[in-house]
Amino acid sequence: MKFSITSVLSFMALAASANAALNPIEVKGNAFYDSVSGSRFYIRGVDYLPGGASNFTDPLSSSDTCTRDIEYFKELGINTIRVYSVDNSADHKDCMEKLDDAGIYLILDVNTPKNSISRSDPQVSYNTAYLQHVFATIDAFASYDNVLGFFAANEVINNENTTQAAPYVKAVVRDMKTYMAAQNLRAIPVGYSAADISANRYQQIQYFNCGDDETARIDMFGMNDYSWCGNSSYTVSGYDQKVEQYSNYTRPLFLSEFGCNKVEPRPFGEIESIYSTNMTGVFSGGLVYEYSEEENNYGLVSISSSGTITEKQDFVNLKNAFASVSDPSGDGGAKDDDSPAVCPEMEEGVWEVNPLAGLPVMPERASAMLVSGAGDPSGTNEPPTQYGDSGDQSDDSNWDYSPTTAAASGSSTSSGSSSSSASSGSSASSGSSSSSSASGSATSKSAANPGAVNNLPSMTSSVVMLPLAVIVSSLLFGFASVVVV
Ligand SMILES: *[C@@H]1O[C@H](CO)[C@@H](O)[C@H](O)[C@H]1NC(C)=O
Ligand SMILES: *[C@@H]1O[C@H](CO)[C@@H](O)[C@H](O)[C@H]1NC(C)=O
Ligand SMILES: *[C@@H]1O[C@H](CO)[C@@H](O)[C@H](O)[C@H]1NC(C)=O
Ligand SMILES: *[C@@H]1O[C@H](CO)[C@@H](O)[C@H](O)[C@H]1NC(C)=O
Ligand SMILES: *[C@@H]1O[C@H](CO)[C@@H](O)[C@H](O)[C@H]1NC(C)=O
């Protein structure tokens, strides 16, 4: 028997991956578990976007950057980071292995500033070029056991009148799960990270976990929540009411951003509540916003222009809070039930999604990638995909979601405003939403906010101009598909 260099190398590669420290995390009912030990897993993490929201950088493609920062992650005592954007053509092996060695999982948003579902024109932004980007990002990370999950999107719905983007985001969830299954990749959990919009936050969590199509339901739900400020408490912050309201939710919930900065330095007293049995029956921990000090002033550390790290008092406070609070024993009150939620009712100006309308159909050329694979990653230099993919023009992706919605509402004119450009200005503009978060501007601070494609030409509403016959047939079609399903 002859040994080639290649077979020795591939044997070494196998041995290396077998030595990986971390086991994949899996979802059962409303909690995360270590897939090998079976113990419950709570996210103790930070959001990691050095460079800030307005400056796209992929921190996992630079060994120098991640090696420097992992030392601080270890000192903080965290087990998870969230990264908002990566260059899917870059090499992430070194950083992913170093994170693994340090006992740290990754939650990765699959979008970039150029590739995302646009809240102001979701239909046009849902196209083959976009899905190619998403699938290639999955390909780039699926082999790492320490990928805890993917976020299909972040804060696309950022007020009461961007809810019509929800079916497109849910279609992306479905497409990602379908792609992983078709390509025989590990079924990495897929979730959505929501802005804290008091008017429809309950509808959001229900919607993403509702319906008969298991593949379209999220596996985990992150809430960006800044309701605990300063020396608050479990009841003053309103955490208690969220726990009560979501007590029957059947997927893991966690805080995908928290850490209000109204009072500084931040005392981080919420850590004690988040990992107490007051909350662990419903929530599975969370991620503090954010590791590095940027313009919006949420940093745990400052990074000088030469790359030197200085720990802020927030860092010390958070580290002490994590060190003094352990996870509950046993299952922490987790529930096994994973039945679907009830789809929220349509309500004008609150939740403008028809529960009977189904989801946009995957474009034909994107479906072909289920078999062929995504192909080469496009990286960060491609033109943006939010403005459409001309190759898709003749397929189902041009199906307009809105008419069905309008028909079902019984009011063909009411949703006329629905497809107008609802998101104005920058991603930070959602401070004017009726978010109950104590820090009003808190909801859209994150990088690469996938809804943050603005200044798109305002799409003239086709809804108001539709002849009655079309509306009626949409209604019939909607009804027919319900009967068939
Ligand atoms: C963006 O990040 C890069 C790399 O960290 C840095 O060199 C550059 O100065 C940053 N730009 C802005 C506008 O902050
Ligand atoms: C918060 O509580 C700490 C410890 O009890 C106390 O030292 C601090 O002054 C309080 N801060 C405010 C703003 O009340
Ligand atoms: C949760 O389910 C229980 C049992 O079905 C029910 O009594 C309770 O009202 C539900 N709670 C909420 C907040 O929906
Ligand atoms: C747990 O809930 C009780 C009742 O609301 C509250 O008094 C207590 O402070 C909470 N404890 C923590 C750690 O949140
Ligand atoms: C969307 O809702 C916000 C309030 O949340 C409001 O300020 C804005 O004018 C609305 N935009 C449209 C197009 O209706």
Side-chain angles (χ1 to χ4, degrees), residues 183-239:
Q183 290 285 307
N184 291 313
L185 302 172
R186 176 164 69 90
I188 294 171
V190 177
Y192 175 64
S193 175
D196 186 17
I197 310 302
S198 57
N200 60 30
R201 74 161 92 82
Y202 190 65
Q203 283 87 341
Q204 293 191 50
I205 79 162
Q206 297 293 98
Y207 179 72
F208 284 104
N209 187 26
C210 82
D212 293 334
D213 181 1
E214 202 282 331
T215 310
R217 291 166 55 205
I218 43 90
D219 302 307
M220 59 182 198
F221 194 94
M223 311 172 89
N224 297 343
D225 184 309
Y226 293 84
S227 54
W228 182 307
C229 300
N231 286 344
S232 192
S233 76
Y234 181 60
T235 47
V236 170
S237 64
Y239 277 14

Side-chain angles (χ1 to χ4, degrees), residues 15-325:
S17 67
N19 287 340
L22 295 175
N23 305 315
I25 297 296
E26 62 188 16
V27 169
K28 266 185 272 168
N30 75 338
F32 296 113
Y33 296 88
D34 181 302
S35 59
V36 175
S37 75
S39 2
R40 186 153 173 210
F41 180 84
Y42 299 91
I43 295 169
R44 290 177 174 242
V46 298
D47 295 310
Y48 182 43
L49 53 160
S54 52
N55 189 4
F56 174 81
T57 46
D58 175 352
L60 303 180
S61 64
S62 159
S63 294
D64 288 349
T65 302
C66 71
T67 305
R68 174 194 71 192
D69 294 334
I70 285 169
E71 289 312 306
Y72 293 88
F73 299 159
K74 291 201 298 207
E75 192 188 335
L76 264 181
I78 59 172
N79 61 19
T80 309
I81 57 169
R82 173 185 183 184
V83 170
Y84 289 79
S85 253
V86 288
D87 173 352
N88 64 9
S89 67
D91 184 353
H92 301 97
K93 188 164 188 280
D94 193 57
C95 288
M96 289 307 292
E97 287 178 357
K98 287 191 162 111
L99 285 167
D100 192 288
D101 290 343
I104 295 171
Y105 289 91
L106 169 69
I107 295 178
L108 178 64
D109 289 66
V110 296
N111 299 292
T112 73
K114 288 180 180 172
N115 313 97
S116 64
I117 293 295
S118 156
R119 69 170 70 93
S120 51
D121 205 345
Q123 182 196 346
V124 167
S125 64
Y126 177 71
N127 57 54
T128 297
Y130 168 65
L131 290 171
Q132 195 281 334
H133 166 84
V134 171
F135 295 162
T137 303
I138 292 174
D139 286 345
F141 283 87
S143 65
Y144 301 112
D145 283 352
N146 59 330
V147 176
L148 191 165
F150 291 120
F151 275 138
N154 178 56
E155 299 198 356
V156 175
I157 300 148
N158 70 345
N159 57 22
E160 296 89 327
N161 46 30
T162 44
T163 60
Q164 294 205 357
Y168 294 91
V169 174
K170 198 166 172 179
V172 176
V173 171
R174 174 202 61 197
D175 298 348
M176 291 174 68
K177 291 171 70 170
T178 304
Y179 182 78
M180 287 188 278
Q183 290 285 307
N184 291 313
L185 302 172
R186 176 164 69 90
I188 294 171
V190 177
Y192 175 64
S193 175
D196 186 17
I197 310 302
S198 57
N200 60 30
R201 74 161 92 82
Y202 190 65
Q203 283 87 341
Q204 293 191 50
I205 79 162
Q206 297 293 98
Y207 179 72
F208 284 104
N209 187 26
C210 82
D212 293 334
D213 181 1
E214 202 282 331
T215 310
R217 291 166 55 205
I218 43 90
D219 302 307
M220 59 182 198
F221 194 94
M223 311 172 89
N224 297 343
D225 184 309
Y226 293 84
S227 54
W228 182 307
C229 300
N231 286 344
S232 192
S233 76
Y234 181 60
T235 47
V236 170
S237 64
Y239 277 14
D240 61 334
Q241 289 158 41
K242 288 169 188 162
V243 166
E244 164 67 22
Q245 192 177 23
Y246 308 147
S247 57
N248 290 343
Y249 202 59
T250 58
R251 292 294 201 227
L253 287 169
F254 60 98
L255 304 176
S256 37
E257 291 177 6
F258 72 95
C260 166
N261 65 356
K262 287 250 150 105
V263 179
E264 291 191 297
R266 294 178 285 177
F268 286 116
E270 63 266 56
I271 296 297
E272 189 188 355
S273 288
I274 293 170
Y275 302 94
S276 76
T277 50
N278 278 0
M279 292 184 70
T280 54
V282 179
F283 283 87
S284 294
L287 300 148
V288 171
Y289 190 86
E290 68 177 307
Y291 173 68
S292 57
E293 181 76 344
E294 309 295 344
E295 269 168 31
N296 54 12
N297 212 30
Y298 282 85
L300 299 168
V301 304
S302 309
I303 307 179
S304 76
S305 51
S306 63
T308 308
I309 306 280
T310 308
E311 295 176 1
K312 294 174 62 189
Q313 188 61 40
D314 289 32
F315 182 98
V316 176
N317 293 351
L318 181 62
K319 170 181 149 178
N320 291 340
F322 275 139
S324 64
V325 175

Side-chain angles (χ1 to χ4, degrees), residues 414-457:
S414 67
S415 62
S417 64
S418 62
S419 49
S420 66
S421 178
S423 59
S424 59
S426 74
S427 60
S429 68
S430 67
S432 63
S433 74
S434 64
S435 161
S436 70
S437 97
S439 151
S441 62
T443 49
S444 281
K445 289 181 309 308
S446 350
N449 184 325
V453 180
N454 300 301
N455 312 318
L456 282 173

